[in-house]
Amino acid sequence: MLQRVDVGGQCLAVEDSGAGRPVLLVHGFPLDHSMWNAQIESLARRYRVIAPDLRGFGQSDRLPTDCTAVTMARFADDLAKVLDALEVEGPVALGGLSMGGYIALEFWRRHQRRVGKLMLCDTRAAPDAPEALAARFQNAIRAEAEGPAFLADTLLPRLVAPETLRANTEAVSRLRRMIAAAAPRSVAAALRGMACRSDARPWLAAIRCPTLVLVGQHDAISPPDEMQAIAAEIPHARFEIIPSAGHMAPMENPSATNAALESFLSD
Ligand code: MLT
């Protein structure tokens, strides 16, 4: 069921389905909670699955006109307020994909007692290289000027594996629709927020909760070797490669992603 949750002057749309131990899923950029639809449907048979549209995205409130950046810390604190509003007191299994992973790591740093298990999907711990930083700021200005549709053309070939782009028209058109529907101000604000995110590499060795590091075999944005290095830094992390998938593994190969998540959650 989609609910509206006030996180302090802004309402977020939050999918809250199923019952049992809570699982909180955080979407990537510039998407919305529906990227997790296949996981919500499957996991909600055994767990309470909470999947918000982040501040400014999906069906959440539009950002105010004077908002130029949303930090990963702000997104993470919104998640804590969502859990408070939904009266989730015990620790959650927290999963985030890409930007959602940056937010999950920041959430772990700021609200550690609320994280029982961590699932880092197709994400990075390192900050951006200088060229990537410059591109983020340019794209932010361009998104504000002309809307986010241009991002679909530049991002899609990197978001999914070549075989997905060729053969999985359903996933590709859903992604294209989500990107085109994103509010220009939210896209720009998240780009600037990602640009100034912390270097999470020094935190990894201190993560003591059970952690799953999951990556699509053909991920071009957070490649398997980079994610394997993240897993190697986190004590006792489990590392899984999802075949026939790129950066959007949960949408490209939902059955393998669901199996990996379910096996990790039930352990
Ligand atoms: C995402 O999928 O959330 C983005 O690729 C994250 C990023 O641009 O670093």
Side-chain angles (χ1 to χ4, degrees):
M1 188 177 69
L2 200 65
Q3 311 203 22
R4 295 199 70 75
V5 174
D6 191 331
V7 291
Q10 292 271 128
C11 274
L12 303 193
V14 181
E15 181 64 41
D16 184 3
S17 317
R21 283 185 283 135
V23 177
L24 175 61
L25 297 177
V26 189
H27 66 78
F29 168 87
L31 308 174
D32 62 53
H33 80 274
S34 70
M35 63 144 282
W36 294 112
N37 276 354
Q39 288 68 46
I40 295 170
E41 192 188 330
S42 155
L43 295 177
R45 294 187 197 117
R46 289 188 61 191
Y47 302 97
R48 179 179 182 185
V49 185
I50 299 164
D53 285 343
L54 292 168
R55 179 177 284 257
F57 287 96
Q59 295 177 58
S60 292
D61 281 355
R62 292 289 174 252
L63 297 178
T65 49
D66 60 352
C67 176
T68 54
V70 180
T71 61
M72 301 302 105
R74 169 56 76 90
F75 283 131
D77 289 351
D78 284 348
L79 297 179
K81 288 183 188 144
V82 166
L83 294 180
D84 289 342
L86 299 181
E87 298 180 354
V88 177
E89 275 156 24
V92 298
L94 172 62
L97 179 129
S98 200
M99 181 177 81
Y102 311 154
I103 296 166
L105 284 165
E106 190 65 53
F107 186 94
W108 171 84
R109 192 166 73 108
R110 298 166 77 80
H111 306 282
Q112 223 170 106
R113 66 165 190 86
R114 304 190 87 152
V115 183
K117 288 188 172 189
L118 193 56
M119 298 171 286
L120 299 172
C121 308
D122 301 278
T123 192
R124 309 186 62 220
D128 293 331
E131 323 80 70
L133 263 187
R136 290 218 197 266
F137 289 116
Q138 279 162 11
N139 283 340
I141 292 170
R142 192 167 167 199
E144 282 166 336
E146 63 182 77
F150 76 94
L151 277 177
D153 295 325
T154 54
L155 273 182
L156 268 171
R158 287 172 57 72
L159 279 181
V160 297
E163 64 194 277
T164 306
L165 203 54
R166 204 173 44 246
N168 191 342
T169 44
E170 199 256 324
V172 172
S173 50
R174 276 181 61 211
L175 277 166
R176 192 178 281 283
R177 274 200 304 276
M178 273 190 263
I179 296 171
R185 188 177 304 120
S186 309
V187 168
L191 282 166
R192 295 191 186 101
M194 286 192 281
C196 69
R197 72 185 188 276
S198 302
D199 181 353
R201 289 172 297 184
W203 314 341
L204 300 177
I207 297 176
R208 290 286 184 270
C209 62
T211 300
L212 172 66
V213 176
L214 179 151
V215 63
Q217 179 186 10
H218 305 294
D219 189 334
I221 296 175
S222 42
D225 55 350
E226 184 174 341
M227 291 222 68
Q228 189 162 23
I230 293 177
E233 288 294 314
I234 301 175
H236 314 301
R238 188 188 290 189
F239 177 63
E240 295 259 359
I241 295 184
I242 302 298
S244 306
H247 190 62
M248 295 306 303
M251 289 178 70
E252 298 178 70
N253 191 343
S255 54
T257 303
N258 291 352
L261 295 179
E262 279 163 23
S263 149
F264 173 71
L265 287 169
S266 66
D267 249 8

